[in-house]
Amino acid sequence: MSRFLEALHAAGTPREPAGALDRWYCGAVATAILALPSGYSGYVMAALLALVVVDVATGRFRWVPVSFGRAAAALVAAALASGLASAWRWPSTGLAVLFGLMLLVTIYPTARVLGGRPEVVRWWTGIWVVGGALAAGWGIARAVLHWPNGASTPALGENALGTNLIAVIALALGGWTVWSAPRVRGALAATLILLVIALELTWSRAAWGAAIIAAAVAIALAPRQKAALIALSVVSVAVATWTVGAGRQILEYHLGTLTLEANYDRVAIWKAAFKMWRDHPVLGTGYGSFATVWPQYEPDPALYGKPTAHNLVLNFAAETGTVGLAAFLAVVGSGLSGLWSRVRSSRGDPSSDGLWTGLFAATVGVLAQQIFDGTVMSWHVGYGLILLFTLGGIRG
């Protein structure tokens, strides 16, 4: 294992020997990425926090700048301010503190390992795809065992698993243009089919639509072999839909519910979130307070228990007000801008250009799903979005 971690570190910095702490950081980040698609990165984040504490205690802590760093700091400040001003002060403030820690243990270890070494993205992307294949297989197995419940893992519901599958599908498509070995491409083709089967079995309509968007972006930006990627996508969807077989009627049912009338609960939640923002325009109701405040705006008990606004923009508007919303939009804008810069600067480098387009497409897809879901508000899913922003936002 130690040799593997040294190889990971050496892949990005062949001139510098990997110290023990460097290897621990590298191994922890790699493990978090591997565990992310199944929803278990949160456990590894505790180890990452411990490593950050060691860095601080030994005087080695040196913040690595990222493009969205100031915006992220402003967002944490807005979350804390909203908590302190909230009628539910202590729970909300506590959640805001945890949110800040999540950003810290996502951004700092990733930037520390990869700062100035963007070529290591090949390792992380490969690990991410492997983790996605494991999560997809796990989700399919649980769907078969608990039919007609959809694909999930013990840590992730259907929508959240769909979020992670969107990202891996985009990364696999991007990797196809970079990893040209026949065996690797054969494995990627099989993985894509597995991912699409699991995605269909989540019954998450928002994830289906967002995956189409992510794939379209990955193909449109692909530096080469666009026709092969289109064919690969079509074959994957066709084989996956045929394989689902017994679930085709359920699949058709969910496809037939893409109307406002069939999604009245989403509409009700969005209206309530907007009213919360209207009633608390500056700092909102308090970070993480949506589930608590929601019943005050919705008379139908059947709709109680919604943890988020199922729309990331409205969620931040309702919980952290205009101040938090502005900071959140700045994080998204800076994060996407950093990734786009990587896409442009990698053009002409066949060892990484497709991977950066895949990372950018994954981010677009995940954000597209968040128009209808709030899965990234959970830290073990949100880790993936912040990780994507960090990969693109590292300076140097």
Side-chain angles (χ1 to χ4, degrees):
M1 175 60 73
S2 62
R3 291 183 179 179
F4 172 67
L5 298 180
E6 287 178 357
L8 278 178
H9 190 274
T13 173
R15 296 182 300 276
E16 301 176 11
L21 193 59
D22 296 320
R23 291 195 296 270
W24 276 105
Y25 264 109
C26 205
V29 174
T31 303
I33 293 174
L34 181 67
L36 169 62
S38 299
Y40 288 93
S41 57
Y43 294 100
V44 188
M45 291 170 77
L48 289 170
L49 179 59
L51 290 173
V52 174
V53 171
V54 170
D55 255 0
V56 173
T58 58
R60 298 182 59 177
F61 185 90
R62 298 291 185 275
W63 183 256
V64 180
V66 293
S67 62
F68 63 101
R70 291 183 178 178
L75 182 57
V76 173
L80 286 169
S82 73
L84 291 172
S86 173
W88 300 270
R89 177 179 298 176
W90 298 119
S92 180
T93 303
L95 290 172
V97 171
L98 289 176
F99 175 59
L101 287 175
M102 186 273 281
L103 291 179
L104 172 66
V105 300
T106 304
I107 297 171
Y108 175 72
T110 305
R112 188 186 188 282
V113 173
L114 302 183
R117 302 185 293 270
E119 61 273 22
V120 184
V121 73
R122 288 176 62 89
W123 286 93
W124 303 141
T125 305
I127 292 171
W128 206 330
V129 172
V130 170
L134 295 174
W138 197 350
I140 293 169
R142 282 172 59 85
V144 171
L145 290 174
H146 303 288
W147 191 260
N149 291 334
S152 64
T153 72
L156 297 177
E158 296 175 30
N159 290 346
L161 178 59
T163 302
N164 289 339
L165 293 175
I166 292 166
V168 182
I169 286 171
L171 296 179
L173 288 172
W176 177 270
T177 67
V178 171
W179 296 313
S180 57
R183 290 183 180 179
V184 176
R185 284 196 166 172
L188 281 175
T191 297
L192 272 169
I193 293 173
L194 190 70
L195 292 168
V196 178
I197 291 173
L199 182 66
E200 289 190 5
L201 287 175
T202 63
W203 313 131
S204 175
R205 293 154 292 163
W208 298 346
I212 292 172
I213 292 172
V217 172
I219 293 170
L221 297 178
R224 64 192 72 83
Q225 297 181 321
K226 295 180 187 290
L229 292 179
I230 293 173
L232 185 62
S233 299
V234 171
V235 170
S236 297
V237 172
V239 173
T241 304
W242 177 82
T243 303
V244 169
R248 190 167 297 127
Q249 289 184 342
I250 299 178
L251 188 68
E252 292 172 352
Y253 165 76
H254 281 286
L255 286 172
T257 59
L258 300 177
T259 64
L260 287 178
E261 293 78 8
N263 293 277
Y264 77 98
D265 58 335
R266 289 288 199 276
V267 177
I269 295 169
W270 295 339
K271 287 181 178 179
F274 184 81
K275 290 177 182 178
M276 291 179 198
W277 182 21
R278 181 197 62 192
D279 294 345
H280 305 84
V282 181
L283 290 174
T285 60
Y287 181 82
S289 66
F290 186 88
T292 303
V293 180
W294 158 249
Q296 299 180 15
Y297 288 83
E298 174 52 55
D300 184 358
L303 295 179
Y304 290 177
K306 302 296 183 181
T308 71
H310 287 274
N311 179 295
L312 206 54
V313 173
L314 285 175
N315 204 94
F316 273 103
E319 292 186 349
T320 62
T322 304
V323 174
L325 176 60
F328 166 71
L329 293 177
V331 169
V332 173
S334 299
L336 286 173
S337 177
L339 281 164
W340 181 245
S341 295
R342 292 292 189 184
V343 170
R344 295 182 60 185
S345 63
S346 68
R347 289 301 187 190
D349 180 3
S351 67
S352 66
D353 51 6
L355 300 181
W356 287 112
T357 61
L359 289 165
F360 181 80
T363 309
V364 171
V366 169
L367 288 172
Q369 187 203 16
Q370 301 311 300
I371 296 174
F372 303 96
D373 277 314
T375 53
V376 299
M377 294 300 295
S378 301
W379 66 334
H380 57 303
V381 181
Y383 175 84
L385 180 61
I386 302 303
L387 176 66
L388 287 164
F389 286 161
T390 305
L391 290 172
I394 298 171
R395 297 172 181 173

